[in-house]
Amino acid sequence: MITLSLILAAYLLGSIPFAMVASRLFKLPDPRSYGSHNPGATNVLRSGRKGAAVVTLMGDAGKGWVAIIAANYFSQLWGLGSEVVAGMALAVFLGHLFPIFLGFKGGKGVATSAGVLLGLHPGLGVLTILTWVIVALISRISSLSALLSALLAPLYAFYILGEGLVTGAVLIVSILLITRHRSNIANLMAGKETRIGKGG
């Protein structure tokens, strides 16, 4: 019961739509009404308000990090197994993808997954984020950066964390993140994907 309660709490935390919160704070239109129609930091950036995008990014990443920190704390406090950490990692990510507060239609999960990885192990998070940054600097394509980072994250996790439920959770998160970028993959193959700093 405790494990299920913690996983549910992580899902609800993940469901908090920081793109909507930031848009309200900065008096911007609903991010689902322009650009990619995605409630995430990259799309909020298309509004021209960098501050709103930063708030979205920090909020989405922060909820992933907080969920894992809480998972580790309660796991140690109550002597729970690694299934709690793995379950809460998946739950907070699924909450962002399918938020109960937005009719189960959420973002793609890049920032939230980064927060999860940072919470699981700082080195894992830094390696994955560094991969994103390097690819972004070279390609100027956010989705390509996310996809390559998602492909490499499970390998980083296996190297740093070893085998186990938590590494399995990282693999599932990566697969889900890639599937959420299906339209981006099609655009990349067609050479039509929008570059960072340009509208669309």
Side-chain angles (χ1 to χ4, degrees):
M1 182 62 73
I2 293 176
T3 297
L4 289 176
S5 297
L6 290 172
I7 289 174
L8 176 59
Y11 168 77
L12 293 174
L13 175 62
S15 289
I16 299 174
F18 280 96
M20 309 297 288
V21 172
S23 296
R24 292 273 183 91
L25 288 174
F26 286 81
K27 295 181 171 55
L28 297 173
D30 189 324
R32 297 170 297 177
S33 67
Y34 60 84
S36 65
H37 307 287
N38 174 56
T42 300
N43 198 43
V44 172
L45 184 60
R46 292 188 174 101
S47 70
R49 298 294 295 275
K50 293 182 179 179
V54 169
V55 170
T56 303
L57 178 66
M58 297 303 292
D60 285 345
K63 64 189 182 185
W65 182 82
V66 167
I68 301 306
I69 297 304
N72 284 321
Y73 174 78
F74 289 115
S75 182
Q76 293 175 12
L77 181 66
W78 292 322
L80 304 174
S82 60
E83 66 271 10
V84 174
V85 178
M88 290 182 71
L90 286 174
V92 71
F93 185 72
L94 288 171
H96 182 80
L97 299 190
F98 308 106
I100 192 172
F101 306 124
L102 293 181
F104 304 103
K105 296 179 180 179
K108 295 180 178 177
V110 176
T112 302
S113 64
V116 166
L117 296 179
L118 282 169
L120 292 175
H121 191 287
L124 173 57
V126 169
L127 269 177
T128 306
I129 292 170
L130 187 60
T131 300
W132 191 99
V133 171
I134 290 172
V135 177
L137 288 173
I138 294 172
S139 69
R140 305 295 298 174
I141 301 177
S142 177
S143 59
L144 180 61
S145 304
L147 287 166
L148 290 178
S149 298
L151 284 171
L152 291 173
L155 298 179
Y156 296 153
F158 181 78
Y159 177 76
I160 294 173
L161 304 176
E163 295 183 18
L165 290 175
V166 175
T167 296
V170 172
L171 176 60
I172 294 172
V173 165
S174 294
I175 292 171
L176 289 171
L177 194 150
I178 291 170
T179 61
R180 295 289 282 190
H181 283 78
R182 289 190 301 272
S183 61
N184 302 95
I185 293 172
N187 287 336
L188 284 167
M189 294 178 67
K192 298 179 180 179
E193 187 68 341
T194 302
R195 295 182 180 273
I196 297 172
K198 295 185 179 181

